[in-house]
Amino acid sequence: MTRQKIVAGNWKMNNDLSETEALLGDLKNQVIPENVTVMVAPAFTNLYSAFDSVREDAIEVVAQNMHQASNGAFTGEVSAAMLLSVGVKTVILGHSERRQYFNEGSKILSEKVNAALENNMTVIFCFGEGLEDRKSENHFEIVKQQLAGGLFHISEENWSSIVLAYEPVWAIGTGETASPEQAQEMHGYIRTLISENYNNTIAERVSILYGGSVKPGNAKEIFGKKDVDGGLIGGAALKCEDFMAIVNAFE
Ligand code: PGA
């Protein structure tokens, strides 16, 4: 089974309009390998300009978050329809920073997932355990709860619109990565969970990205593991050279 290989740059709250234009200008000059789907997630304010700038290129512009309601009195929020109207068809949901700083738990995330799917968007669903959970060997249980709570209510058909991103919180922005073996172990476990809750075909088809301090120096080893289909990249996505080295890190 060949799964979609994906490298997605999560720019977080970095890059204003001119920086966004400059980085995308650099990325557009690079050769994107045909077998890799490349995505970038700029801030909301720069989504349209980013979409417009790469509309002819093999770079997809995605959002970092969205609200679950279709419209209404939710000051400061952005809906699925608004994202679609500026060309954005994919949204990252459940990033650990959203969970941690904005109190997004399973209930809200399941509603956001539903809103995205109802609008025919693709979801990059993030999850992963914290350091204490890893130390107390509770990491499998946490991942199971996060998947069950936020995602396992969707229909079989909707799995074709899902990309998973396993991001152990202790590895995000810390310079500490999960070892390739730890990533493989968890990704294998995630496929088992999907197989148990749905079926083996879905489990084998879904792309599972690893995220957490992926750098040019470690990407090849991590992407070389059989159940790792790419990465969600934070810090290293802000430099064209580093990001492209990661895009090119598949065997
Ligand atoms: P990092 O972030 O690569 O800077 O660790 C990854 C992420 O938060 O998606």
Side-chain angles (χ1 to χ4, degrees), residues 42-45 47-48 51 61-67 70 77-93 112 115-116 119 121-122:
F44 281 138
T45 50
L47 284 176
Y48 181 69
F51 166 76
V61 173
V62 313
Q64 298 175 19
N65 177 36
M66 64 171 222
H67 195 266
S70 51
E77 292 292 328
V78 167
S79 70
M82 290 171 182
L83 295 177
L84 289 169
S85 76
V86 295
V88 172
K89 299 194 185 80
T90 298
V91 61
I92 298 171
L93 294 177
K112 290 189 176 203
N119 283 279
M121 295 180 75
T122 296

Side-chain angles (χ1 to χ4, degrees), residues 10 12 95 97 167 171-173 212-214 232-235:
N10 174 13
K12 310 191 180 185
H95 190 278
E97 287 146 22
E167 299 202 302
I172 296 178
S213 298
V214 177
L232 184 56
I233 319 299

